[in-house]
Amino acid sequence: GWTVSKTRAAWLYGLAARLDRSVHRDDAVVLYRLLKRLTMIRASTAMSQRDSDDDEEMLARLNTLILIFGVYFEQSGGYSSLMEPRADE
């Protein structure tokens, strides 16, 4: 598998910046697969020992990319509503 290095995260962020919010369904499939991969990496990183600053930085990169592709590009399958403020707050 691959990790989310600073270079790869910057590349993915740059790619996201160039995409229109309303993506074609073929592109949506690719973004969904990417989101799935990012969440799998995030889960495996969260389960391991996070003793170093590098792991914390990678988690921050992963969280940012997950939010971008999951919430902004609406690829989270309805879970993006979890990030919206509730009416009673």
Side-chain angles (χ1 to χ4, degrees):
W2 50 273
T3 61
V4 183
S5 64
K6 289 180 184 180
T7 304
R8 182 166 283 149
W11 188 87
L12 289 171
Y13 185 79
L15 174 69
R18 300 291 299 165
L19 290 174
D20 288 329
R21 188 168 184 188
S22 58
V23 294
H24 187 273
R25 65 178 169 251
D26 292 339
D27 298 331
V29 169
V30 173
L31 292 179
Y32 181 77
R33 287 180 182 160
L34 175 61
L35 176 64
K36 188 175 176 181
R37 184 69 160 144
L38 290 170
T39 56
M40 288 172 30
I41 294 169
R42 169 69 169 88
S44 67
T45 303
M47 300 299 269
S48 67
Q49 297 293 88
R50 296 189 323 246
D51 294 331
S52 70
D53 289 338
D54 291 339
D55 289 338
E56 294 296 327
E57 287 180 15
M58 188 170 81
L59 282 174
R61 290 191 296 268
L62 284 166
N63 288 337
T64 301
L65 291 169
I66 288 168
L67 283 172
I68 290 170
F69 292 111
V71 177
Y72 183 77
F73 288 107
E74 300 175 349
Q75 298 302 308
S76 60
Y79 292 109
S80 61
S81 63
L82 296 174
M83 300 303 296
E84 296 173 1
R86 294 189 334 212
D88 61 345
E89 290 182 350

